[in-house]
Amino acid sequence: MDGKSAIKWNPFAPNYFNDPYAIYAQCRTSNPIQQDSFGNVILFKYRDIAPILDSEDFEVSSLSTYFASKESYIFKNNSQCPFLAKATNKWLMYLNGESHRKLRIALGKVLFSYDFDQLIQESVQETIFYFKHHKKLDLVDFSKHFIYQILSQFIGLKDFTSLDKVVEFSNLAARSQDLFVSKQMYLKMNECFIEGVGLFAESNFKAKLKKELKGLEYEEEDYYSILAVTLMAFFETSKDNLSYSIYLLLSSPKLIKFVLEADNKAIKLLTEESIRFVSPLQFTVRINKKVVIIQGRQYKPGTRFILGIASANRDEEIFEAPDEIIFDRKVNPHLAFGAGSHLCLGALIARKEMEIGLKPIVEFLQKFEVDTLEPLQWANQIFMRTLQSAMIKLK
Ligand code: HEM
């Protein structure tokens, strides 16, 4: 073993959550294919990750099956009713084959029956109005408010003032997919999934979904599972993407000027670049169905590959000056929305949030500046990179 290959990805390293990119860069250069003590293979380079996302020789692992296998341990000596496996049973990103294909078509039809242009325009105006008199504000709260406005108008939430409940539900649902989650945290998630049943109202979203899935064997709990994953996939990623994107824009007078003067085409390029740079979902997982060879190494079927998509999005082999936001980057084949059969179903909506929202948001927030006395607070999460606080104050 040479000195270089000793570099190991370690999410417990000091400062990791503030800046995981420094470690990703070292891994890409010195040790781009790593195996941990559980046999997981962790990949950091674009050239290794992109083909896997596109390949039919790999499939996703089932989160629900994982929970089913762990429930006897998680709920030992505990009176809670196990609900983790049921609540995650129909999460699209953890389904394979026909069940994935059919649900993807149905959910896609239902999602795109809504007029997101209008919902986003209205929500951005409402959010600006809400924060109009603030002298100081947290961009995370601003983004939560904005995304909640959109979400609550189509999915059907029982209590229109339930933002705090949605925030907690969405975050715990996202964390259920993370690595190294404690038993206590799983119990908290379980409780939240049980209570979450009461979050959703009978809505036309659910009615449309039922119509699209008619004839297939879906039970009431399955519809809850689909609503839960839609809420999490919509809310958590969009909010994480926006809060950091807006923070980055407000940190740069050059970028503020660019947004204020940009036409639609320029905003689209910036949106793409910002999503590449922020990459809210930092990792995903695939399992190989057959023997595969990667960079000359052979892996037996059933190997679990942890794909560093955020690292791939900063790979200098693909992106010139990867650690800079180049607002007019022309070629931008980033993997922030994944690729292949599980390509993000909401990518179009996430893009619209920025394409429609960025200009009015920056016009409104340009009178604020980053509050240097209150540094960014990042959550201790590995898969989903989440800002907890990003304070700005009036100039
Ligand atoms: C910037 C915002 C977003 C980012 C970065 C993002 C990222 C991703 C990624 C990387 C995947 C693929 C995961 C994998 O291959 O394992 C994915 C899947 C998915 N996303 Fe998003 N997402 C965003 C917004 C949204 C929104 C607004 C929705 C709307 C509901 C959504 C719904 C979904 C769904 C349903 C899937 C599963 C697709 C499938 O497995 O077929 N996402 N997302």
Side-chain angles (χ1 to χ4, degrees):
M1 198 200 292
D2 62 13
K4 280 181 167 182
S5 60
I7 296 285
K8 278 274 184 192
W9 175 64
N10 174 15
F12 299 107
N15 212 35
Y16 178 88
F17 297 110
N18 288 341
D19 180 16
Y21 287 97
I23 301 179
Y24 299 158
Q26 289 177 336
C27 292
R28 280 195 307 276
T29 313
S30 310
N31 196 7
I33 304 181
Q34 303 184 16
Q35 196 140 16
D36 69 14
S37 51
F38 304 101
N40 298 317
V41 177
I42 310 149
L43 302 177
F44 293 91
K45 287 199 72 73
Y46 190 100
R47 64 161 191 230
D48 299 327
I49 294 169
I52 293 183
L53 288 171
D54 258 330
S55 166
E56 302 210 336
D57 294 339
F58 289 79
E59 58 184 11
V60 294
S61 62
S62 165
L63 184 65
S64 177
T65 310
Y66 171 79
F67 280 135
S69 73
K70 291 274 168 204
E71 279 181 346
S72 59
Y73 156 76
I74 297 171
F75 297 98
K76 197 173 172 193
N77 302 329
N78 190 286
S79 58
Q80 268 192 47
C81 172
F83 199 47
L84 292 167
K86 277 189 183 152
T88 53
N89 191 29
K90 292 289 180 247
W91 285 20
L92 194 57
M93 50 290 264
Y94 295 98
L95 299 178
N96 289 301
E98 269 303 276
S99 52
H100 170 254
R101 199 184 64 81
K102 285 184 178 149
L103 182 53
R104 186 173 164 98
I105 292 172
L107 185 55
K109 274 191 188 164
V110 174
L111 271 177
F112 292 103
S113 67
Y114 293 91
D115 182 351
F116 280 102
D117 286 45
Q118 197 190 334
L119 288 180
I120 294 168
Q121 269 158 15
E122 286 168 6
S123 301
V124 82
Q125 290 313 326
E126 195 283 337
T127 306
I128 289 171
F129 184 77
Y130 182 85
F131 286 95
K132 204 167 63 174
H133 298 301
H134 283 56
K135 295 193 169 67
K136 213 173 158 174
L137 65 88
D138 187 340
L139 288 173
V140 178
D141 288 340
F142 184 89
S143 306
K144 281 175 185 167
H145 189 102
F146 173 35
I147 301 303
Y148 177 77
Q149 288 300 317
I150 310 170
L151 179 77
S152 57
Q153 288 187 66
F154 78 90
I155 205 167
L157 294 170
K158 228 172 218 164
D159 174 2
F160 202 69
T161 59
S162 59
L163 172 61
D164 289 346
K165 285 184 227 154
V166 166
V167 168
E168 190 193 18
F169 185 90
S170 169
N171 185 251
L172 285 172
R175 290 172 83 145
S176 71
Q177 310 162 83
D178 211 347
L179 298 179
F180 312 118
V181 177
S182 69
K183 184 174 160 176
Q184 281 318 317
M185 186 57 81
Y186 281 137
L187 287 170
K188 204 169 156 193
M189 282 164 199
N190 191 67
E191 211 176 319
C192 189
F193 282 145
I194 293 172
E195 284 174 8
V197 178
L199 204 61
F200 298 101
E202 279 303 320
S203 61
N204 78 351
F205 182 84
K206 192 171 161 191
K208 285 180 182 191
L209 206 53
K210 281 189 165 170
K211 197 168 153 223
E212 289 300 333
L213 292 168
K214 207 169 166 201
L216 301 172
E217 286 175 5
Y218 278 74
E219 294 169 9
E220 215 32 55
E221 276 170 349
D222 294 329
Y223 288 106
Y224 171 61
S225 180
I226 302 169
L227 289 173
V229 76
T230 307
L231 186 155
M232 180 274 290
F234 194 101
F235 188 80
E236 202 66 9
T237 47
S238 298
K239 173 263 291 171
D240 290 345
N241 178 50
L242 272 169
S243 44
Y244 193 35
S245 292
I246 302 171
Y247 173 85
L248 292 166
L249 294 180
L250 294 183
S251 309
S252 157
K254 200 169 111 192
L255 285 176
I256 294 177
K257 186 167 181 292
F258 177 80
V259 174
L260 295 176
E261 292 171 1
D263 60 14
N264 288 349
K265 199 171 153 216
I267 289 279
K268 273 182 199 278
L269 287 180
L270 175 66
T271 294
E272 225 44 44
E273 174 66 345
S274 189
I275 293 172
R276 171 194 75 85
F277 192 87
V278 172
S279 289
L281 188 65
Q282 304 258 298
F283 293 90
T284 190
V285 174
R286 292 293 186 273
I287 314 267
N288 54 329
K289 295 192 269 184
K290 307 176 179 165
V291 169
V292 292
I293 297 173
I294 301 172
Q295 306 302 331
R297 298 184 215 181
Q298 185 170 310
Y299 299 94
K300 62 176 195 291
T303 305
R304 198 163 174 258
F305 289 88
I306 300 182
L307 312 178
I309 50 185
S311 168
N313 284 343
R314 300 282 186 100
D315 192 334
E316 35 293 283
E317 256 174 44
I318 307 292
F319 303 99
E320 211 186 313
D323 294 319
E324 281 173 41
I325 298 185
I326 300 183
F327 46 71
D328 56 354
R329 195 184 284 279
K330 300 280 179 314
V331 183
N332 200 346
H334 68 76
L335 303 174
F337 291 121
S341 59
H342 289 274
L343 178 74
C344 175
L345 195 59
L348 204 75
I349 306 168
R351 289 183 168 116
K352 277 180 193 285
E353 287 160 4
M354 294 189 76
E355 288 165 10
I356 297 172
L358 276 190
K359 206 170 204 156
I361 289 173
V362 171
E363 270 165 9
F364 168 61
L365 292 178
Q366 59 176 318
K367 59 185 182 208
F368 290 84
E369 63 186 355
V370 165
D371 188 344
T372 45
L373 294 177
E374 300 205 46
L376 292 182
Q377 302 285 325
W378 291 97
N380 290 0
Q381 290 171 215
I382 302 166
F383 269 35
M384 189 80 87
R385 192 165 188 234
T386 291
L387 254 184
Q388 283 178 324
S389 164
M391 295 305 298
I392 56 172
K393 60 178 173 50
L394 277 181
K395 282 179 184 166

